[in-house]
Amino acid sequence: MTGQKITRKRVIKSCKYCYEHKLKCNKEKPCSTCVGLSVTDQCIYGFSKTSVGKEDENQRKSPLRLKNTTHGKVKKSKKLNTNSVIYKSKFSYPFFTSSINDRIICAEHYGQLTLDSVIRRNEITKFDRFSTPARSIDDVLVLLPPTQEAAMSQIETYFACIQPIIPILDQDRITEILSDVYQSLQERKNVNALNILLLMAIFFCSSYVAVASEVIPDLLLCNNYYKAYRYLLDVAEFPLRPLLESLRAFVIVNFVIDPNMVAATGYSSMLVRLGQQLGLHKSSTYKDLDLKLLWHFLIYIEGSSSVVCGFSFLTPSHFMSYVPLQELSHNIKTDISTAYAIGRYKINVMFRHTMALTSSTLLCKEDLDRTEKGIADLYEDIRSINESLRCSKSKFSDYFACTLNIFLFRLHLRYYALLCLHSEKDKILRKSSKEVAVMNSMDIEKILEVKQSFRKDVIHLSILLLFHTCKRLIQADIDKFVWYTRGSTVMQYLFVVLKDIYQHPTRSYKYSDFSCPIQGTVDSDIREIIETDSALYKYVLIEVVLGLMELKLASLWNNEDLYKFLLVKTLKEKVWQACEQQTTHHRETLHTLERKTLFCTGMRQLQNMKSVNFEEYLKNWESEKAPIDLEKILNNWLLDFQ
């Protein structure tokens, strides 16, 4: 017997599902874990360990699994082939297209731009949503705060910072879930994995917004919660198994990470289908307000991701009427988050009609008239909702009202872009990581002198969009919403106004020139500025908005948004040089405008901002492999608008 290895065959007492997913099993038939996850069909006992091992081995050998092998070791594939063909709709960012970035700077060099050496970047810009999930349920449970009171503090952060923007959770229900989890742990009972999943999603969101507002200095806690969320999402078999908890967890996490919904195109329609499977589209199925709002929010995500890409909506129009907005309207007067949500959904309905026209080969006058009338009527609806917001006496009412107006202006501008761009062709672009494309340099002044092809209403709307962006950025105590505010990038509208200033430096835009629906969005502070000098206020507006964006948002942006911001700022310097005689002659009037209430508040906040040497900024901005000729890039970028 000496030297022989004794092996013992231990009987597996857990069910097959709990054994494979490393979950606690109470050995009942079916066990509580499988009942909680609705996977009782996989609650199988008496299986062999070798059969599980063979399944795991087959999965490892699956050709669908991406891997890189070095010296026999499997390494995580960080990047796929960056040479690819991508479709770019002509209606994607109609006033500032992102396609120019794909032609000028490749993705490989893009990440090597030394922006960090000049602008201090917030830690959330380093977040990796494709990080490796946690390894076991024990790794997840150890992340729970040590006391229920500490966990409740994070939940309160969520409902203060995120719930007003995306009101799809019920605080009382989440508090019950938290108490149930901690009581189960204290009594050494099995905990419901779906409850843990929802809590980990909430904890991640709370820590993420805390990093964005610089309450927490790094991503350590945030990353750990995200890994736990990823692990439990797999345990819940999302998205193959429709479960309300996993759907909610996925929605809040991905919205907080990507409030612009740029990356939502790939999954937005899937979320709507999951909502249907859960019966969210049947208003009689659920009585809870948060579930009715969840259905509309799924439709909103699909619509917003379509608008970002310049596509028509995939969801049919009747999906929006399954749960009528009128059923939610009685909550407007008491709940600021519900009022704000309803305003966005109403705008989303009209966005659907507008984007549907983009797929039409021939624009029908009746459809255009119907859409234009719908937009005009929407101004009155949003005005009424904004009045309800202000009547709530919340200190954040102006923030939400300005945001709704910005969404409304974007809708109206998209309609005008449809009229201007309908005859143009869409593009198929080839992205390459091998080199930075450099085109022949052209004279910037000649490009700027090309006649503006957009109607005056586009200038009016762009100006008001910038005004409301300014009002939104100067609101007090909005650091808690900075994760959401960063999604408001207005570079293409800055370009529209800057180009108009260059071509018509003395042109006036009076309050009386604005159309009747638009006039309703002009409050007393904005009107005071416009009536002080109807030609010069645009100069101060550009300066204040650019300064506030650099002060409050630039550190939160990714490289693409920073790149566009830098180009707009460079363009502004060119325009200001061309208009130097005009600004010098009217220096006193400009100072008078700066002292007006709205601009004065913004200028006062900017005084605390550390000055940035812009020339040094440009010198440092180059890739490691090839220097970037910013002048040539700017020329080609401007050419893209003609």
Side-chain angles (χ1 to χ4, degrees):
M1 297 292 293
T2 305
Q4 287 187 339
K5 186 177 181 180
I6 299 175
T7 58
R8 296 182 177 87
K9 288 188 177 181
R10 295 184 179 179
V11 178
I12 300 175
K13 296 181 180 180
S14 300
C15 75
K16 186 175 181 182
Y17 186 87
C18 291
Y19 182 81
E20 290 177 346
H21 294 86
K22 299 181 180 180
L23 299 173
K24 290 183 179 180
C25 181
N26 64 0
K27 285 91 175 168
E28 295 181 2
K29 296 183 180 181
C31 71
S32 59
T33 301
C34 289
V35 171
L37 292 171
S38 301
V39 291
T40 53
D41 57 322
Q42 299 183 48
C43 192
I44 302 169
Y45 292 91
F47 61 93
S48 65
K49 186 175 180 179
T50 54
S51 64
V52 176
K54 287 181 180 179
E55 290 178 7
D56 291 342
E57 185 179 356
N58 290 336
Q59 289 178 359
R60 287 194 296 269
K61 292 180 179 180
S62 171
L64 297 178
R65 204 175 183 87
L66 295 174
K67 64 180 182 179
N68 286 339
T69 304
T70 306
H71 302 299
K73 296 181 180 180
V74 179
K75 302 181 78 175
K76 182 181 177 182
S77 178
K78 284 288 185 183
K79 290 185 179 180
L80 299 177
N81 185 4
T82 52
N83 295 323
S84 61
V85 173
I86 186 170
Y87 170 81
K88 282 287 183 180
S89 169
K90 61 193 173 185
F91 300 113
S92 175
Y93 298 99
F95 303 101
F96 183 100
T97 175
S98 61
S99 64
I100 192 67
N101 294 322
D102 293 313
R103 293 201 298 274
I104 294 175
I105 292 188
C106 57
E108 189 71 22
H109 285 151
Y110 213 51
Q112 297 175 0
L113 297 177
T114 55
L115 296 171
D116 293 356
S117 62
V118 179
I119 287 186
R120 182 184 60 83
R121 308 292 293 281
N122 189 283
E123 286 295 301
I124 65 167
T125 59
K126 302 174 185 176
F127 176 73
D128 180 12
R129 68 195 303 171
F130 301 107
S131 58
T132 305
R135 294 176 295 179
S136 68
I137 189 64
D138 291 332
D139 292 340
V140 172
L141 294 177
V142 77
L143 293 175
L144 286 170
T147 65
Q148 185 173 334
E149 291 73 20
M152 193 62 204
S153 175
Q154 296 197 46
I155 289 175
E156 289 172 352
T157 297
Y158 176 89
F159 281 92
C161 302
I162 302 169
Q163 178 75 359
I165 310 295
I166 173 173
I168 63 172
L169 297 181
D170 179 78
Q171 188 166 1
D172 292 336
R173 175 57 184 150
I174 298 301
T175 303
E176 290 176 7
I177 288 174
L178 183 70
S179 299
D180 180 67
V181 166
Y182 275 86
Q183 184 176 352
S184 297
L185 291 173
Q186 186 177 4
E187 298 174 358
R188 298 184 179 279
K189 294 180 180 179
N190 288 342
V191 294
N192 188 312
L194 290 175
N195 287 345
I196 297 292
L197 168 60
L198 197 51
L199 288 178
M200 286 298 162
I202 291 172
F203 293 162
F204 163 77
C205 293
S206 297
S207 58
Y208 187 90
V209 300
V211 173
S213 57
E214 299 187 338
V215 174
I216 297 178
D218 57 53
L219 287 168
L220 179 61
L221 187 61
C222 182
N223 286 337
N224 287 335
Y225 284 140
Y226 187 75
K227 290 177 180 180
Y229 152 82
R230 286 278 309 277
Y231 170 79
L232 293 169
L233 208 60
D234 290 340
V235 169
E237 299 182 8
F238 181 87
L240 302 179
R241 188 176 295 278
L243 296 167
L244 190 57
E245 293 85 351
S246 57
L247 175 61
R248 279 170 156 166
F250 184 89
V251 168
I252 63 175
V253 166
N254 284 276
F255 183 76
V256 168
I257 294 172
D258 180 26
N260 267 356
M261 287 159 281
V262 175
T265 313
Y267 61 75
S268 57
S269 298
M270 171 195 74
L271 297 181
V272 176
R273 284 302 190 196
L274 286 173
Q276 284 184 292
Q277 286 183 286
L278 291 166
L280 295 178
H281 61 302
K282 299 295 183 181
S283 59
S284 59
T285 304
Y286 295 111
K287 301 300 181 183
D288 296 336
L289 174 64
D290 56 289
L291 293 178
K292 294 178 179 180
L293 289 170
L294 174 58
W295 170 252
H296 278 283
F297 206 85
L298 299 180
I299 300 295
Y300 171 70
I301 291 175
E302 196 283 315
S304 295
S305 63
S306 298
V307 173
V308 168
C309 293
F311 300 146
S312 55
F313 289 23
L314 285 179
T315 50
S317 58
H318 60 270
F319 275 33
M320 295 179 168
S321 59
Y322 278 147
V323 182
L325 289 172
Q326 287 76 8
E327 294 184 14
L328 311 176
S329 298
H330 67 279
N331 294 279
I332 285 183
K333 295 181 179 179
T334 58
D335 187 355
I336 189 170
S337 61
T338 303
Y340 178 60
I342 291 175
R344 281 182 301 174
Y345 302 152
K346 285 181 174 290
I347 294 172
N348 197 42
V349 170
M350 188 51 59
F351 251 127
R352 189 193 179 282
H353 294 305
T354 304
M355 299 307 294
L357 298 175
T358 63
S359 59
S360 302
T361 54
L362 182 63
L363 291 179
C364 175
K365 186 178 185 303
E366 289 76 11
D367 288 339
L368 292 176
D369 291 342
R370 191 182 308 114
T371 302
E372 192 154 12
K373 183 181 184 303
I375 293 174
D377 293 340
L378 187 59
Y379 273 90
E380 182 59 30
D381 287 343
I382 298 302
R383 186 194 64 77
S384 176
I385 291 175
N386 283 342
E387 286 182 0
S388 298
L389 287 171
R390 294 187 174 99
C391 289
S392 68
K393 297 182 180 179
S394 167
K395 63 180 179 179
F396 303 116
S397 58
D398 280 342
Y399 174 85
F400 289 109
C402 289
T403 306
L404 283 180
N405 283 331
I406 290 170
F407 289 155
L408 184 57
F409 298 145
R410 288 179 186 269
L411 164 66
H412 208 163
L413 284 161
R414 182 61 63 123
Y415 171 74
Y416 287 132
L418 167 71
L419 301 180
C420 298
L421 304 176
H422 196 269
S423 61
E424 294 187 9
K425 301 292 183 182
D426 294 317
K427 301 173 183 177
I428 299 292
L429 302 175
R430 182 173 295 278
K431 300 174 70 176
S432 172
S433 63
K434 294 182 179 179
E435 61 181 9
V436 178
V438 177
M439 305 178 188
N440 295 328
S441 180
M442 297 180 66
D443 187 1
I444 292 177
E445 281 72 18
K446 288 183 179 179
I447 296 173
L448 288 170
E449 285 167 2
V450 174
K451 285 187 177 182
Q452 182 62 271
S453 59
F454 299 119
R455 54 196 292 175
K456 280 190 176 182
D457 285 339
V458 171
I459 311 297
H460 296 162
L461 288 166
S462 296
I463 288 172
L464 289 179
L465 191 150
L466 296 180
F467 264 122
H468 283 270
T469 297
C470 180
K471 286 181 65 69
R472 190 178 186 224
L473 289 173
I474 65 173
Q475 296 300 307
D477 302 321
I478 60 166
D479 287 347
K480 63 167 63 178
F481 298 135
V482 70
W483 66 272
Y484 184 59
T485 312
R486 71 187 168 109
S488 182
T489 57
V490 296
M491 274 70 89
Q492 58 177 323
Y493 311 109
L494 284 165
F495 170 78
V496 169
V497 178
L498 279 169
K499 186 173 181 181
D500 184 72
I501 289 175
Y502 180 86
Q503 294 181 352
H504 313 285
T506 61
R507 175 179 284 178
S508 297
Y509 289 104
K510 302 177 182 178
Y511 171 79
S512 58
D513 294 337
F514 297 166
S515 62
C516 288
I518 297 175
Q519 286 182 354
T521 65
V522 180
D523 62 18
S524 58
D525 287 342
I526 297 176
R527 187 166 181 175
E528 176 191 27
I529 291 172
I530 294 175
E531 291 180 346
T532 299
D533 192 294
S534 57
L536 293 175
Y537 70 84
K538 303 188 297 296
Y539 292 85
V540 184
L541 177 62
I542 293 287
E543 284 286 1
V544 174
V545 170
L546 276 172
L548 289 172
M549 289 171 67
E550 185 170 348
L551 171 64
K552 300 191 174 186
L553 304 181
S555 66
L556 299 159
W557 285 334
N558 58 25
N559 281 354
E560 180 180 351
D561 289 331
L562 275 177
Y563 171 75
K564 293 175 181 177
F565 179 75
L566 180 58
L567 290 176
V568 169
K569 195 167 181 179
T570 308
L571 174 63
K572 187 213 72 170
E573 298 300 328
K574 296 287 183 181
V575 174
W576 266 212
Q577 289 174 14
C579 301
E580 185 176 5
Q581 184 177 356
Q582 170 79 358
T583 55
T584 302
H585 182 68
H586 297 283
R587 190 179 301 278
E588 287 301 319
T589 305
L590 292 171
H591 288 326
T592 301
L593 285 165
E594 290 174 357
R595 290 191 290 270
K596 297 302 178 182
T597 304
L598 179 59
F599 288 156
C600 183
T601 305
M603 298 293 285
R604 189 164 54 247
Q605 293 182 11
L606 290 174
Q607 287 175 359
N608 299 323
M609 177 182 172
K610 292 183 179 179
S611 60
V612 176
N613 188 323
F614 198 61
E615 294 302 321
E616 288 298 318
Y617 199 158
L618 301 186
K619 290 178 184 177
N620 290 332
W621 200 41
E622 60 181 23
S623 67
E624 295 178 1
K625 297 181 180 179
I628 298 175
D629 189 332
L630 196 62
E631 187 78 6
K632 291 182 180 179
I633 291 175
L634 180 58
N635 287 331
N636 295 318
W637 171 68
L638 294 174
L639 183 62
D640 192 56
F641 287 92
Q642 311 313 322

